[in-house]
Structures are given as C-alpha cells and as structure tokens.
Amino acid sequence: MTTLRQYLDSTACEEPLRDLIELIAYQAIPIREAFIENQSYAGTENVYGEEQAAMDTWADQHLIGVLGESGMVKAIASEEQEDIVLFPDAMGDYSVVMDPLDGSSLIQVNLAVGTIIGIYPGGNALKKGEELTAALYMLYGPLTVLTLTVGEGVCTFALNKEGIYVLMEKDIRMPEGKLYGTGGLKNEWPQEHMDFISLCEQLGGKIRYSGSFVADFHQILKYGGIYCYPALNGKPTGKLRLVYEANPIGFIAAQAGGAITDGRRNLLEVQPEKPDHRTPIYVGSRRMIDLVQSCMKSL
Ligand code: AHM
Ligand code: MG
C-alpha cells in the first residue's frame, strides 16, 4: 500500500508543494460530509448569473478559508469569485485556481461531482495551463478518488475507511477509446461541431455524457475518447472556463498522453485574458484531438 504522502515523497516536488497538495486533497472529507447538510439551492447567483447550489458556496468558502489560514498560497482564483482572492502575507509562494464544486446541477440527483484544482508557482494565478506545477481533481462517486499530476505522469488514489488516500493506479495512459460526450443544445451547435459529432458516430463512437465535467472526463481518462463542450451559435466561447476547468483537466490529460484544444489550438498554450475567460473545450485521446483539429482546420 502506498499512501498519498508516500507517493509525494517519492517525487521531485518540493516539500511545501507536497504539503499543499495533501492539505487540498484531504478537504474531500469535509466536502463530502457537507453534501448531507447542503442539498438545497442557496438562492444566490455566482458572477455568471448562475444559481448557486448551497454546496457551491460551501465548498468555495471552505477551501478559501482553509487555504487562507494555511499561509501556503498567495492567491486563489475560484470559479465562484469575481476577483482573485489575495493573501499578500502568506509565507508560501503558490497560487491556486479552482472550481470548488464542478457539476453542481447533479448534486440533487446524486450523480458524481468533483473539485478541480490547479497549482502554479508564485503569486500569479492568471498563467497558461502549461505553467501549472500540479493539477488534481477529487471525484465524489461511490468512492472518493483523487486524480493527481505533479508533472510526473498521472496517478489515482482512493480514500480508504481510515480516511487515508491509497494509490490505486500510477502512470495512467489514456487509451485511444471511442467514448464521446458533448454539451450544449444540439440546435445551437455550429456546423463544424455537428460534423465532428457525426464523424464520431460514423466511427462507431459510444455516447457518454452526465453533465459533470470531472466525472465525464474521468471515464475518458480511463477508457479513451473525447469530451466536448463546443462553441455555440450566439455564444462563440461556449460555457466552460479556461482557468478553473480547462487548464487543470487539460494538464492532467496531457500528462496521461492525451490533449486539450478549443478545436484549433492547444489550450494549455493560451494566456488567460481574465479569471472568467471562457473557451470551447475538446479534451481526450490524442488521435481524437487530432481528428477534431483536422475537421475544424479544413473549414
Ligand atoms: P459548474 O461548474 O457550474 O457545475 O458548470 C460546469 C458544468 C460541467 O461540469 C459540465 O460539463 C457542464 O457544466 C454541463 O453543462 P450542460 O448542463 O450545459 O451540459
Ligand atoms: Mg465547473
């Protein structure tokens, strides 16, 4: 049995980064416990005018509180906050980007949701995805599973009965599978996305889409294929966010041999313009990403 700490101690990560990753990963325990108390909608809106489930607010406040008190981070960019939260007196020299509770519309129907985290060195949270030093997500399904990269490949860990993360799988490679899933209303898809989805169907693809990015990506990581949230007619940047969602998940995908694109360029090379920078997202197996890019370039 290898614990999360033992794994981190076997990597080239510096000690403060190991401590920060552990601190964040174990917040899965209070977040999971809070689901029971926070099922109802909070009646407040986030900066995008979306209704916040009580859990969104709870997880956001909880993580900001814990990270702020830890003194380990200089900045937090959260999907639930309009502005980057700064901790100028922190001793630690990292910044965190996060979607505290991704897939929150699924909480009330008890489907799997998650927490997405990216960690940058230094106090600037608005950096390209390729500059991440670590990325992780916690998936709250039947098991609580942590998927982690510190730039040395991708590992998964499961929380055991004692509340300790134990290694499930290391050096995960994303296979060339045939799963595909896509967000957005079909009648709002641009023609190029429509064509790509038809191609997936012609190639014998199998549709899988729950509405939780973390859960939908996790099965792509394991089985291979592609997750898409496209540009929409009248909404060319789509729905999902570069900083909180695309970059950490894309960094994990790339570390597992996959890739992420907006259809034309590697999203990990895109400089975020603002915290809530939105982008179309295609993430998955390398050949599927090549295929989507060739479809979109040929137009
Ligand atoms: P959230 O971060 O507010 O939960 O929104 C992001 C979610 C993703 O998890 C998911 O892939 C997508 O939005 C689902 O959107 P849709 O319901 O339009 O398919
Ligand atoms: Mg989200």
Side-chain angles (χ1 to χ4, degrees), residues 76-88:
I76 302 174
S78 165
E79 188 192 290
E80 299 298 334
Q81 299 287 329
E82 196 161 357
D83 299 315
I84 295 176
V85 184
L86 299 174
F87 302 96

PDB file of all heavy atoms in Angstrom, residues 76-88:
ATOM      1  N   ILE A  76      -5.842  32.930  -4.775  1.00  0.00           N
ATOM      2  CA  ILE A  76      -6.794  31.883  -5.176  1.00  0.00           C
ATOM      3  C   ILE A  76      -7.735  32.483  -6.209  1.00  0.00           C
ATOM      4  O   ILE A  76      -8.378  33.509  -5.961  1.00  0.00           O
ATOM      5  CB  ILE A  76      -7.653  31.378  -3.991  1.00  0.00           C
ATOM      6  CG1 ILE A  76      -6.780  30.840  -2.868  1.00  0.00           C
ATOM      7  CG2 ILE A  76      -8.645  30.308  -4.468  1.00  0.00           C
ATOM      8  CD1 ILE A  76      -7.564  30.457  -1.613  1.00  0.00           C
ATOM      9  N   ALA A  77      -7.803  31.852  -7.382  1.00  0.00           N
ATOM     10  CA  ALA A  77      -8.815  32.217  -8.377  1.00  0.00           C
ATOM     11  C   ALA A  77      -9.862  31.106  -8.338  1.00  0.00           C
ATOM     12  O   ALA A  77      -9.550  29.952  -8.630  1.00  0.00           O
ATOM     13  CB  ALA A  77      -8.185  32.329  -9.757  1.00  0.00           C
ATOM     14  N   SER A  78     -11.074  31.476  -7.935  1.00  0.00           N
ATOM     15  CA  SER A  78     -12.150  30.488  -7.801  1.00  0.00           C
ATOM     16  C   SER A  78     -13.271  30.792  -8.777  1.00  0.00           C
ATOM     17  O   SER A  78     -13.611  31.957  -8.986  1.00  0.00           O
ATOM     18  CB  SER A  78     -12.712  30.527  -6.373  1.00  0.00           C
ATOM     19  OG  SER A  78     -13.947  29.840  -6.323  1.00  0.00           O
ATOM     20  N   GLU A  79     -13.851  29.739  -9.335  1.00  0.00           N
ATOM     21  CA  GLU A  79     -14.972  29.932 -10.254  1.00  0.00           C
ATOM     22  C   GLU A  79     -16.125  30.685  -9.598  1.00  0.00           C
ATOM     23  O   GLU A  79     -16.900  31.355 -10.263  1.00  0.00           O
ATOM     24  CB  GLU A  79     -15.471  28.567 -10.750  1.00  0.00           C
ATOM     25  CG  GLU A  79     -16.485  28.691 -11.849  1.00  0.00           C
ATOM     26  CD  GLU A  79     -17.202  27.381 -12.137  1.00  0.00           C
ATOM     27  OE1 GLU A  79     -16.557  26.469 -12.661  1.00  0.00           O
ATOM     28  OE2 GLU A  79     -18.399  27.298 -11.841  1.00  0.00           O
ATOM     29  N   GLU A  80     -16.227  30.576  -8.283  1.00  0.00           N
ATOM     30  CA  GLU A  80     -17.352  31.207  -7.585  1.00  0.00           C
ATOM     31  C   GLU A  80     -17.053  32.636  -7.139  1.00  0.00           C
ATOM     32  O   GLU A  80     -17.885  33.258  -6.484  1.00  0.00           O
ATOM     33  CB  GLU A  80     -17.757  30.357  -6.373  1.00  0.00           C
ATOM     34  CG  GLU A  80     -18.212  28.953  -6.728  1.00  0.00           C
ATOM     35  CD  GLU A  80     -19.465  28.919  -7.614  1.00  0.00           C
ATOM     36  OE1 GLU A  80     -20.259  29.867  -7.580  1.00  0.00           O
ATOM     37  OE2 GLU A  80     -19.621  27.939  -8.366  1.00  0.00           O
ATOM     38  N   GLN A  81     -15.858  33.146  -7.445  1.00  0.00           N
ATOM     39  CA  GLN A  81     -15.488  34.505  -7.022  1.00  0.00           C
ATOM     40  C   GLN A  81     -15.223  35.375  -8.234  1.00  0.00           C
ATOM     41  O   GLN A  81     -14.550  34.943  -9.175  1.00  0.00           O
ATOM     42  CB  GLN A  81     -14.207  34.473  -6.167  1.00  0.00           C
ATOM     43  CG  GLN A  81     -14.326  33.668  -4.889  1.00  0.00           C
ATOM     44  CD  GLN A  81     -15.172  34.348  -3.832  1.00  0.00           C
ATOM     45  OE1 GLN A  81     -15.213  35.590  -3.756  1.00  0.00           O
ATOM     46  NE2 GLN A  81     -15.865  33.566  -3.029  1.00  0.00           N
ATOM     47  N   GLU A  82     -15.704  36.605  -8.170  1.00  0.00           N
ATOM     48  CA  GLU A  82     -15.485  37.540  -9.280  1.00  0.00           C
ATOM     49  C   GLU A  82     -14.008  37.929  -9.376  1.00  0.00           C
ATOM     50  O   GLU A  82     -13.438  38.001 -10.460  1.00  0.00           O
ATOM     51  CB  GLU A  82     -16.330  38.788  -9.028  1.00  0.00           C
ATOM     52  CG  GLU A  82     -16.501  39.634 -10.238  1.00  0.00           C
ATOM     53  CD  GLU A  82     -17.684  40.588 -10.090  1.00  0.00           C
ATOM     54  OE1 GLU A  82     -18.391  40.536  -9.067  1.00  0.00           O
ATOM     55  OE2 GLU A  82     -17.870  41.376 -11.007  1.00  0.00           O
ATOM     56  N   ASP A  83     -13.390  38.191  -8.215  1.00  0.00           N
ATOM     57  CA  ASP A  83     -11.999  38.649  -8.193  1.00  0.00           C
ATOM     58  C   ASP A  83     -11.096  37.571  -7.598  1.00  0.00           C
ATOM     59  O   ASP A  83     -11.548  36.745  -6.795  1.00  0.00           O
ATOM     60  CB  ASP A  83     -11.877  39.910  -7.327  1.00  0.00           C
ATOM     61  CG  ASP A  83     -12.726  41.036  -7.899  1.00  0.00           C
ATOM     62  OD1 ASP A  83     -12.685  41.237  -9.121  1.00  0.00           O
ATOM     63  OD2 ASP A  83     -13.447  41.684  -7.107  1.00  0.00           O
ATOM     64  N   ILE A  84      -9.829  37.657  -7.958  1.00  0.00           N
ATOM     65  CA  ILE A  84      -8.851  36.740  -7.373  1.00  0.00           C
ATOM     66  C   ILE A  84      -8.677  37.126  -5.895  1.00  0.00           C
ATOM     67  O   ILE A  84      -8.560  38.315  -5.568  1.00  0.00           O
ATOM     68  CB  ILE A  84      -7.527  36.818  -8.154  1.00  0.00           C
ATOM     69  CG1 ILE A  84      -7.776  36.304  -9.584  1.00  0.00           C
ATOM     70  CG2 ILE A  84      -6.431  36.020  -7.466  1.00  0.00           C
ATOM     71  CD1 ILE A  84      -6.599  36.395 -10.522  1.00  0.00           C
ATOM     72  N   VAL A  85      -8.701  36.131  -5.018  1.00  0.00           N
ATOM     73  CA  VAL A  85      -8.552  36.391  -3.582  1.00  0.00           C
ATOM     74  C   VAL A  85      -7.055  36.369  -3.268  1.00  0.00           C
ATOM     75  O   VAL A  85      -6.365  35.398  -3.596  1.00  0.00           O
ATOM     76  CB  VAL A  85      -9.283  35.306  -2.752  1.00  0.00           C
ATOM     77  CG1 VAL A  85      -9.213  35.618  -1.257  1.00  0.00           C
ATOM     78  CG2 VAL A  85     -10.739  35.178  -3.204  1.00  0.00           C
ATOM     79  N   LEU A  86      -6.555  37.448  -2.670  1.00  0.00           N
ATOM     80  CA  LEU A  86      -5.110  37.571  -2.446  1.00  0.00           C
ATOM     81  C   LEU A  86      -4.750  37.429  -0.966  1.00  0.00           C
ATOM     82  O   LEU A  86      -5.498  37.890  -0.089  1.00  0.00           O
ATOM     83  CB  LEU A  86      -4.623  38.940  -2.950  1.00  0.00           C
ATOM     84  CG  LEU A  86      -4.829  39.194  -4.449  1.00  0.00           C
ATOM     85  CD1 LEU A  86      -4.457  40.624  -4.808  1.00  0.00           C
ATOM     86  CD2 LEU A  86      -4.025  38.202  -5.289  1.00  0.00           C
ATOM     87  N   PHE A  87      -3.612  36.807  -0.721  1.00  0.00           N
ATOM     88  CA  PHE A  87      -3.091  36.660   0.642  1.00  0.00           C
ATOM     89  C   PHE A  87      -1.637  37.148   0.611  1.00  0.00           C
ATOM     90  O   PHE A  87      -0.703  36.340   0.597  1.00  0.00           O
ATOM     91  CB  PHE A  87      -3.155  35.197   1.101  1.00  0.00           C
ATOM     92  CG  PHE A  87      -4.548  34.627   1.066  1.00  0.00           C
ATOM     93  CD1 PHE A  87      -4.993  33.893  -0.034  1.00  0.00           C
ATOM     94  CD2 PHE A  87      -5.420  34.840   2.113  1.00  0.00           C
ATOM     95  CE1 PHE A  87      -6.274  33.382  -0.074  1.00  0.00           C
ATOM     96  CE2 PHE A  87      -6.715  34.330   2.081  1.00  0.00           C
ATOM     97  CZ  PHE A  87      -7.144  33.603   0.986  1.00  0.00           C
ATOM     98  N   PRO A  88      -1.439  38.477   0.598  1.00  0.00           N
ATOM     99  CA  PRO A  88      -0.084  39.007   0.402  1.00  0.00           C
ATOM    100  C   PRO A  88       0.891  38.629   1.510  1.00  0.00           C
ATOM    101  O   PRO A  88       2.098  38.582   1.282  1.00  0.00           O
ATOM    102  CB  PRO A  88      -0.304  40.532   0.355  1.00  0.00           C
ATOM    103  CG  PRO A  88      -1.716  40.769   0.776  1.00  0.00           C
ATOM    104  CD  PRO A  88      -2.468  39.503   0.690  1.00  0.00           C
TER     105      PRO A  88
END
